[in-house]
Amino acid sequence: MLAKHYPNYLANQPVRAKQELDVLDKFTGKRATRVSLADAAAVRKAIVAAHKARAAMAAFPPDARRDVLEHCVRRFGERFEELAQALCIEAGKPIKDARGEVTRLIDTFRIAAGEATRSPGEVLELQISPRARGYRGMVKRVPIGVCSFITPFNFPLNLVAHKVAPAIAAGCPFVLKPAEKTPIGALIIAEILAETDLPKGAFSVVVCSTDDAAALVEDERIALLSFTGGLVGWDLKARAGRKKVTLELGGNASCIVDADPGASLDHVVERLIFGAYYQSGQSCISVQRIYAHADIYEKLRRKLKTAVARLRMGDPRLETTFIGPMVNDEAAQRVENWIAAARKGGAKVLAGGPRERNMLPAALLEKVPHDSDLYRKEAFGPVATIEPFDDFDDALDRVNDSDFGLQAGVFTGNLAHAMRAWDRLEVGGVIVGDVPSFRVDNMPYGGVKHSGLGREGVRYAIEDMTEQRLLVIRS
């Protein structure tokens, strides 16, 4: 059961705003709760507070940062089911998937707790010529300063965690703007952070409109902007000025199934079903394009078609539900329109069905035109395409024929093919033996091309949130 109202958090303290925002139950479409809606003035106050907290956060001892993160791990565990139910309601995520995301939230904070006392550094040998004799060099990493974070609706807990936890471990104050459609999880995280001894101003979580969040992009007191969302991120980067910017902007993920996939086709189908339709395909690394070798294409196609048709759609609160609602009616209608346009262009629908509000049955298509939106853009819905290939290098070329490059999957029992995929695929990560949707929270995660720049994964995010500082001593 959700609380009746959730406040914002400004400089570590709960604050109620004059305006409120309704948060909808994504399955029923009815109001689930209300949250305070901050204005531009509140966002500026949060930035000022974070800027004043820079020195205190930098001086906050590593063991104290670790203790804060471990407190969060403990409290997330104690409030596990509350977090999962909130996620199920505000995001429409099937309850089993919601519990999985809470587990990843805990994992991410636990990883960050370990990194908090692990300060990377280097001793440099400077005596490379007679003029440098007697000099010694050392490099350490120091907090970059104020960070602003903007997160999307689809992983309201774990994508927040991948920004907040590394910032605390690095010693950076931050201001977070969670998605307006799914802010509850972030506000519960803030509530738990408020129980700790973080310095005043170390964190603010403000739910606000895109217009009122402009200062999070443009204010020069912010040292780093980390944005996860759509291609609008490139516009934000252009407005960000001199600050460092990291972006994760989505994908158009492909999966190759080789003639020898290195596993049974039943296992491949099971993983493709997960990768393509998990949380209604609303994931940046959802499987969208499947390339299957001609030798196994018909068999794989038949098995996939049967498996997709069996997926159960319905109330995300039910343990048996696999396909829940999409975030709103407009998102579901867009995907439905893309499917209809592809079908008009010659595609064949192997599985699928009519939309009901924001509920869209899982769909599988073949013979999809390569110039269609369904093929070229990020669908971000429960739909996948499948087509055959004869030559492995041709399949690699088709994967690369995309404006995006986040992750790609390759099922192959051929080591040479696996290594060639790693060498040639223009993506941030190549997953061999599984779908591109695989992610563990300590691995480097991010993309190339339109998919963004920079990497998440706690240690890699900490690198972006810190700067090198050199010390030279003449002895």
Side-chain angles (χ1 to χ4, degrees):
M1 190 71 179
L2 299 180
K4 292 182 179 179
H5 179 273
Y6 292 86
N8 284 310
Y9 281 77
L10 181 57
N12 308 34
Q13 298 297 317
V15 175
R16 292 190 70 140
K18 292 180 180 179
Q19 287 187 291
E20 293 185 333
L21 174 72
D22 288 343
V23 178
L24 303 182
D25 180 316
K26 300 305 183 291
F27 178 67
T28 67
K30 297 178 180 179
R31 185 177 72 198
T33 186
R34 288 179 174 178
V35 301
S36 286
L37 186 65
D39 57 16
V43 173
R44 288 193 294 271
K45 288 179 182 178
I47 294 171
V48 169
H51 194 254
K52 289 180 179 178
R54 289 176 302 154
M57 269 301 283
F60 197 55
D63 67 303
R65 300 175 198 169
R66 177 200 62 206
D67 292 346
V68 166
L69 293 160
E70 289 182 344
H71 172 83
C72 292
V73 168
R74 183 170 61 256
R75 294 290 283 133
F76 296 154
E78 292 168 355
R79 299 178 68 173
F80 188 99
E81 194 61 22
E82 175 192 356
L83 285 161
Q85 292 294 335
L87 181 55
C88 180
I89 292 168
E90 71 168 340
K93 188 169 295 195
I95 187 61
K96 287 185 177 180
D97 298 338
R99 293 188 184 114
E101 185 171 342
V102 179
T103 298
R104 289 186 60 193
L105 164 72
I106 292 170
D107 284 347
T108 303
F109 270 77
R110 183 180 288 117
I111 295 163
E115 293 294 338
T117 56
R118 189 179 296 120
S119 179
E122 186 179 6
V123 176
L124 301 177
E125 178 56 78
L126 299 181
Q127 299 180 104
I128 62 171
S129 66
R131 74 180 184 87
R133 286 174 185 164
Y135 288 84
R136 297 182 180 185
M138 289 168 279
V139 177
K140 67 175 181 178
R141 300 197 74 92
V142 297
I144 195 171
V146 180
C147 299
S148 64
F149 302 141
I150 301 176
T151 55
F153 71 83
N154 58 324
F155 285 89
L157 294 176
N158 201 43
L159 292 182
V160 167
H162 270 285
K163 301 183 190 301
V164 167
I168 294 170
C172 293
F174 65 87
V175 182
L176 165 70
K177 177 200 175 304
E180 294 170 75
K181 294 182 179 71
T182 55
I184 300 169
L187 293 172
I188 294 175
I189 292 172
E191 182 183 334
I192 291 171
L193 286 175
E195 300 169 353
T196 71
D197 296 327
L198 283 170
K200 182 179 179 181
F203 75 93
S204 294
V205 178
V206 288
V207 182
C208 63
S209 69
T210 300
D211 289 342
D212 286 337
L216 295 179
V217 177
E218 299 167 359
D219 196 300
E220 293 186 357
R221 288 168 291 196
I222 294 171
L224 177 139
L225 164 65
S226 179
F227 173 84
T228 301
L231 294 177
V232 68
W234 294 114
D235 297 326
L236 302 185
K237 180 177 180 293
R239 291 164 44 200
R242 294 175 295 176
K243 63 177 63 65
K244 183 185 286 187
V245 176
T246 62
L247 303 171
E248 200 276 272
L249 306 181
N252 177 264
S254 295
C255 193
I256 297 172
V257 184
D258 208 354
D260 170 14
S264 71
L265 282 188
D266 287 339
H267 174 73
V268 172
V269 167
E270 178 184 341
R271 295 306 295 160
L272 287 173
I273 290 292
F274 165 80
Y277 305 108
Y278 164 75
Q279 69 173 55
S280 296
Q282 295 174 118
S283 169
C284 295
I285 43 179
S286 172
V287 175
Q288 188 169 333
R289 296 181 290 155
I290 302 167
Y291 301 104
H293 194 277
D295 289 351
I296 52 96
Y297 179 78
E298 289 300 330
K299 191 173 182 180
L300 178 66
R301 169 184 172 276
R302 185 171 60 253
K303 287 177 175 288
L304 264 178
K305 178 181 177 179
T306 300
V308 172
R310 287 176 177 168
L311 293 178
R312 184 159 183 173
M313 182 176 73
D315 187 341
R317 296 168 183 80
L318 300 178
E319 300 283 346
T320 54
T321 295
F322 190 89
I323 300 288
M326 294 185 66
V327 70
N328 55 31
D329 293 4
E330 292 76 18
Q333 184 174 24
R334 174 187 54 78
V335 179
E336 184 182 50
N337 291 343
W338 285 11
I339 291 172
R343 187 175 186 179
K344 188 176 180 179
K348 180 180 179 182
V349 177
L350 302 176
R355 173 180 63 90
E356 298 178 16
R357 293 192 306 104
N358 61 340
M359 302 289 292
L360 185 67
L364 178 68
L365 290 84
E366 67 177 348
K367 300 179 181 178
V368 173
H370 285 197
D371 61 352
S372 66
D373 286 344
L374 187 59
Y375 187 89
R376 303 221 64 85
K377 297 182 179 180
E378 181 180 39
F380 220 68
V383 58
T385 69
I386 185 169
E387 62 183 62
F389 70 89
D390 293 304
D391 178 75
F392 187 76
D393 285 322
D394 175 56
L396 298 179
D397 290 338
R398 294 192 215 177
V399 174
N400 287 339
D401 181 24
S402 173
D403 292 332
F404 297 95
L406 191 46
Q407 291 194 159
V410 182
F411 285 96
T412 183
N414 185 319
L415 179 60
H417 282 186
M419 299 306 291
R420 192 143 80 242
W422 190 27
D423 287 340
R424 289 196 49 207
L425 289 179
E426 298 165 355
V427 293
V430 177
I431 314 298
V432 174
D434 209 341
V435 289
S437 321
F438 175 82
R439 182 181 180 186
V440 175
D441 296 293
N442 63 341
M443 75 187 208
Y445 174 78
V448 298
K449 299 191 282 190
H450 287 187
S451 288
L453 52 89
R455 293 293 182 270
E456 289 186 341
V458 176
R459 179 165 65 87
Y460 305 92
I462 289 173
E463 289 180 4
D464 282 324
M465 296 175 187
T466 55
E467 296 176 317
Q468 292 181 336
R469 184 173 293 168
L470 171 68
L471 172 66
V472 175
I473 299 176
R474 183 179 182 183
S475 58

